[in-house]
């Protein structure tokens, strides 16, 4: 299973990005993960850009999404929503359709107990209208995230680790049953 992972946090010490890497460390054997780290290279979405003449940064985002079997989106919550940089990146995929039928896992995290639930609700709505194949068992919110990570960034909370393993098992099932012609 080839996973493309992306984090909506730009902070170098980001807890969300750290958690995303910990999640990737729990992928089932034989899986491959690629992390897209260039969301800030994307221009603001412009529907007037000719699809055949998209900037290199847009092609460098669309290509790996298209090539992945499934996508993991990790996100903090800002002002009860997803970060603008993530919304912008998703807008670049609306017309070109790389996420149509693609299994998607969602991981939000916050220092607050709710775990970024409102950002995940917004991501769910946006990805649903984009016809992504959201995997319900792989939609996780991790509250009080700092208490679940060690100083080295390792995941120290067994319950979160178990939830992430369960999420990957569900993603694997979704990849197996996703239509081949998506
Ligand atoms: C401008 C701003 C707005 C925020 N809004 C929310 C919010 O609405 N809900 C929430 O749970 N946390 C909110 N937070 C806290 C973030 O979830 C917190 O900073 C989190 O650690 C960000 O993840 P990071 O460690 O990956 O940067 C906000 C933080 C900032 C800087």
């Amino acid at each position: 299973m080839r996973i493309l992972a992306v984090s909506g946090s730009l902070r170098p010490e980001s807890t969300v990005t750290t958690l995303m890497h910990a999640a990737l460390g729990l992928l089932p054997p034989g899986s491959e993960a690629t992390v897209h780290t260039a969301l800030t290279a994307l221009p603001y979405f412009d529907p007037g850009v000719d699809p055949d003449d998209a900037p290199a940064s847009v092609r460098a985002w669309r290509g790996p999404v298209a090539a992945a079997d499934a996508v993991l989106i990790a996100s903090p919550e800002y002002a009860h929503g997803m970060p603008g940089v993530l919304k912008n990146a998703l807008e670049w995929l609306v017309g070109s359709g790389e996420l149509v039928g693609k299994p998607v896992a969602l991981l939000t995290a916050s220092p607050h107990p709710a775990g970024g639930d409102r950002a995940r609700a917004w991501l769910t709505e946006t990805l649903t209208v984009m016809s992504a194949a959201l995997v319900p068992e792989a939609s996780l919110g991790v509250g009080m995230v700092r208490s679940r990570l060690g100083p080295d960034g390792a995941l120290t909370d067994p319950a979160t680790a178990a939830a992430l393993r369960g999420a990957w098992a569900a993603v694997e099932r979704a990849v197996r049953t996703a239509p081949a012609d998506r």
Side-chain angles (χ1 to χ4, degrees):
M1 177 164 79
R2 290 160 304 168
I3 302 291
L4 180 76
V6 65
S7 169
S9 176
L10 304 180
R11 227 164 51 81
E13 306 297 321
S14 163
T15 50
V16 168
T17 307
T18 302
L19 185 67
M20 179 187 80
H21 282 283
L24 295 176
L26 296 173
L27 273 165
S31 308
E32 283 171 32
T34 305
V35 178
H36 188 83
T37 56
L39 291 189
T40 54
L42 292 169
Y44 287 126
F45 175 62
D46 175 355
V49 169
D50 179 345
D52 297 326
D53 195 23
S57 58
V58 173
R59 285 183 273 121
W61 165 232
R62 287 175 173 167
V65 173
D69 294 316
V71 173
L72 168 64
I73 298 176
S75 181
E77 178 171 297
Y78 296 149
H80 290 190
M82 76 175 95
V85 72
L86 196 49
K87 181 65 161 51
N88 186 53
L90 293 178
E91 285 169 7
W92 278 111
L93 307 179
V94 172
S96 48
E98 287 80 4
L99 281 179
V100 173
K102 180 88 62 184
V104 174
L106 290 180
L107 180 60
T108 56
S110 170
H112 303 290
D117 279 354
R118 290 161 294 214
R120 211 166 64 264
W122 189 17
L123 277 159
T124 300
E125 180 158 340
T126 297
L127 289 158
T128 299
V129 82
M130 291 172 71
S131 302
L134 279 165
V135 182
E137 306 90 333
S139 177
L140 300 181
V142 177
M144 295 173 290
V145 61
R146 287 184 193 131
S147 68
R148 301 181 201 280
L149 296 168
D152 56 353
L155 186 57
T156 53
D157 177 36
T160 303
L164 288 167
R165 283 199 186 89
W168 285 133
V171 171
E172 209 171 27
R173 286 194 297 276
V175 166
R176 263 203 306 272
T177 55
D181 62 346
R182 67 164 188 267

